[in-house]
């Protein structure tokens, strides 16, 4: 029986980023493909039936004893898993913790079934979703969005990475048929409930409200909701020119306009309670040291519990961008790349998670999150829930993201109990 920590150790060298620190494992990169192959091998070694669907999602099936191992016997299955791709320079736990915990929890359940302590009423599937981070093609949770029809397949297939490769071409190069991608009613019908375990991506479990006398919070929490969030691209266009021969007074520099907007984004968000707004990526064209850019693209991430407020914030920021662009002799265009409304997880399933988790961790709280997840996308179609494992650093999407071994083990124990109760 493998532990979650030994499973994570087995992949700890894959995709390390010497420049940024941490890990860079964009979807269908050599590192992410290696991790997908690792998962398939681990699942197959456990006797699970593994397949990849038309949208690139990996499924590993633990069928009921004596069943036909077909769609009829799998209908209404319990599903758990996460993702293996990462942001640039990300941490070791965002995604892989959920996948490794699913494998480790399966080991616990298989041992219980073998000893007669578990009698299942439905199948279990472990799953890996592709492009959850959106770090290569710009749309987060792309695999689950395709599965549920939350994104038009034509739009998804036309997405391009930084090298100009379309998602259609990359998917085809990795054995998928782009013509078959999109909402998959047959696969959705197999999912009865979906549970995703994930590293906590904030400091909720480390706040004074939940910590003990030693300053330590509970090992796990139950997810209650996900903030509405989206990504927009703002493109400032100006006049490209020579850095040495163009007088300062003669410039229409989109980099100057973009720089001013970055500061305005922070100002706008700070004036709205519970808002988050971030510019984490900026690309000048053509990008030469001695060249005044002709265009600067920047990507805006905005989040708020109230979807109407999210829209209002984006409009305010767009208005500021237009004023700045006009003042600098530039123009600006806004393009929405993805948008997800606020998600409140299924109340009945959330109560079931609380009941199961509290047997092991009585103080495990309900926590909202500002981070997006595949569970949030699936929640529009099937009852979905989340378990968070404490992150003592409170930092995520960074090499400093961390989970202690004991907490990771506690997460597996909580997940195994949840799954057993739901099976």
């Amino acid at each position: 029986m493998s532990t979650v920590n030994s499973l994570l150790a087995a992949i700890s060298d894959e995709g390390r980023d010497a420049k940024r620190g941490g890990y860079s494992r964009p979807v269908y990169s050599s590192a992410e493909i290696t991790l997908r192959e690792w998962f398939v091998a681990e699942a197959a070694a456990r006797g699970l039936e593994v397949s990849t669907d038309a949208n690139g999602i990996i499924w590993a099936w633990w069928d009921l004893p004596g069943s036909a191992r077909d769609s009829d016997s799998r209908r209404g299955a319990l599903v758990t898993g996460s993702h293996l791709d990462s942001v640039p320079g990300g941490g070791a736990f965002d995604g892989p913790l959920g996948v490794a915990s699913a494998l480790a929890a399966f080991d616990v359940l298989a041992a219980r079934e073998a000893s007669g302590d578990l009698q299942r009423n439905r199948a279990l599937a472990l799953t890996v979703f592709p492009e959850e981070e959106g770090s290569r093609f710009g749309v987060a949770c792309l695999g689950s969005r395709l599965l549920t029809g939350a994104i038009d397949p034509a739009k998804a297939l036309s997405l391009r990475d930084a090298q100009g490769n379309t998602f259609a071409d990359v998917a085809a190069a990795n054995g998928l048929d782009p013509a078959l991608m999109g909402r998959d009613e047959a696969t959705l019908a197999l999912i009865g409930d979906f549970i995703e375990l994930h590293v906590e991506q904030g400091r909720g479990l480390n706040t004074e409200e939940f910590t003990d006398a030693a300053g330590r919070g509970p090992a796990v929490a139950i997810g209650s909701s996900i903030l509405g969030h989206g990504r927009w691209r703002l493109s400032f266009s100006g006049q490209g020119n020579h850095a040495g021969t163009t007088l300062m007074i003669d410039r229409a520099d989109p980099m100057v306009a973009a720089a001013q907007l970055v500061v305005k984004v922070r100002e706008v968000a700070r004036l709205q309670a519970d808002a988050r707004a971030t510019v984490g990526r900026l690309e000048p064209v053509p990008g030469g040291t001695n060249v005044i850019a002709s265009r600067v693209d920047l990507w805006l991430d905005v989040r708020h519990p109230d979807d109407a407020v999210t829209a209002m914030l984006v409009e305010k920021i767009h208005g500021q961008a237009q004023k700045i662009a006009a003042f600098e002799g530039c123009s600006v265009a806004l393009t929405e790349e993805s948008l997800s409304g606020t998600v409140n997880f299924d109340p009945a399933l959330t109560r079931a998670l609380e009941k199961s988790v509290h047997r092991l961790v009585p103080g495990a709280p309900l926590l909202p999150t500002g981070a997006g997840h595949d569970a949030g996308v699936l929640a529009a179609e099937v009852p979905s829930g989340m378990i968070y494992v404490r992150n003592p650093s409170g930092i995520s999407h960074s090499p400093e993201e961390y989970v202690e071994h004991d907490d990771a083990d506690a997460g597996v124990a909580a997940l195994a109990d949840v799954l057993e109760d739901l099976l």
Side-chain angles (χ1 to χ4, degrees):
M1 182 184 295
S2 299
T3 68
V4 63
N5 295 298
S6 66
L7 288 165
L8 289 170
I11 59 173
S12 62
D13 290 331
E14 195 61 45
R16 287 190 179 272
D17 192 320
K19 179 180 179 180
R20 300 183 181 96
Y23 297 88
S24 292
R25 298 162 169 166
V27 70
Y28 298 130
S29 64
S30 60
E32 198 257 1
I33 290 170
T34 297
L35 264 60
R36 289 168 67 91
E37 292 171 345
W38 162 83
F39 172 77
V40 169
E42 288 287 345
R46 289 163 168 78
L48 304 180
E49 185 174 300
V50 184
S51 62
T52 301
D53 70 17
N55 293 308
I57 303 166
I58 305 174
W59 300 84
W61 288 95
W62 190 29
D63 292 289
L64 288 172
S67 72
R69 302 168 70 92
D70 59 11
S71 58
D72 287 337
S73 63
R74 291 171 176 172
R75 189 176 298 274
L78 180 59
V79 180
T80 187
S82 194
H83 62 98
L84 293 169
D85 63 305
S86 78
V87 297
F93 301 93
D94 180 355
L97 178 66
V99 174
S101 294
L103 289 165
F106 165 80
D107 290 343
V108 173
L109 295 173
R112 290 176 184 175
E113 185 173 70
S115 67
D117 293 331
L118 170 63
Q119 293 184 342
R120 293 183 291 134
N121 295 314
R122 54 175 167 166
L124 174 71
L126 315 184
T127 189
V128 174
F129 290 91
E131 185 67 330
E132 191 271 353
E133 298 291 2
S135 62
R136 182 168 185 180
F137 291 100
V139 176
C141 301
L142 187 57
S144 56
R145 287 179 189 270
L146 282 165
L147 170 65
T148 60
I151 187 171
D152 183 341
K155 176 181 177 181
L157 294 169
S158 67
L159 296 171
R160 292 182 181 273
D161 64 13
Q163 287 70 47
N165 303 302
T166 66
F167 179 63
D169 288 343
V170 172
N174 284 277
L176 301 175
D177 183 349
L180 299 179
M181 287 185 153
R183 183 175 173 87
D184 187 341
E185 297 284 1
T187 297
L188 285 171
L190 301 180
I191 308 172
D193 299 284
F194 178 70
I195 307 296
E196 182 172 5
L197 181 145
H198 207 277
V199 60
E200 189 201 358
Q201 296 182 278
R203 54 187 180 89
L205 283 171
N206 294 313
T207 58
E208 187 176 344
E209 180 181 2
F210 303 123
T211 52
D212 58 21
R216 183 185 180 90
V220 299
I222 300 99
S224 61
S225 60
I226 295 176
L227 288 185
H229 57 281
R231 298 181 185 185
W232 292 262
R233 183 179 73 251
L234 287 141
S235 295
F236 287 93
S237 296
Q239 178 58 61
N241 215 327
H242 194 292
T245 61
T246 308
L247 299 178
M248 301 305 290
I249 198 172
D250 293 334
R251 299 186 179 202
D253 189 342
M255 181 65 82
V256 174
Q260 292 179 58
L261 183 67
V262 171
V263 177
K264 285 293 183 183
V265 166
R266 182 179 67 172
E267 292 177 1
V268 169
R270 281 183 168 180
L271 292 173
Q272 179 66 53
D274 298 323
R276 288 93 154 141
T278 307
V279 175
R281 179 181 166 204
L282 186 149
E283 292 183 0
V285 178
T289 304
N290 58 349
V291 180
I292 300 168
S294 58
R295 190 182 83 246
V296 174
D297 296 331
L298 64 83
W299 281 262
L300 173 70
D301 181 302
V302 179
R303 306 180 188 224
H304 192 273
D306 186 329
D307 297 339
V309 174
T310 300
M312 177 271 291
L313 289 167
V314 173
E315 189 52 41
K316 279 189 176 181
I317 292 167
H318 186 207
Q320 291 291 335
Q322 291 173 316
K323 290 179 182 178
I324 293 168
F327 182 80
E328 295 296 337
C330 299
S331 62
V332 64
L334 175 72
T335 304
E336 179 186 300
E337 294 199 339
S338 66
L339 180 62
S340 298
T342 291
V343 172
N344 293 296
F345 288 119
D346 183 82
L349 183 58
T350 299
R351 288 193 296 271
L353 264 66
E354 286 186 281
K355 182 178 178 181
S356 299
V357 172
H358 284 169
R359 291 201 304 269
L360 181 70
V361 186
L366 277 173
L367 279 185
T369 183
H373 299 286
D374 290 305
V377 176
L378 288 172
E381 300 289 334
V382 299
S384 300
M386 293 196 71
I387 298 170
Y388 301 122
V389 177
R390 189 176 72 97
N391 175 357
S393 72
I395 296 171
S396 189
H397 283 188
S398 164
E400 295 167 84
E401 175 183 277
Y402 186 62
V403 171
E404 295 178 355
H405 282 193
D406 288 349
D407 287 347
D409 289 335
V412 170
L415 178 62
D417 283 356
V418 165
L419 297 177
E420 178 176 357
D421 290 346
L422 293 172
L423 284 169

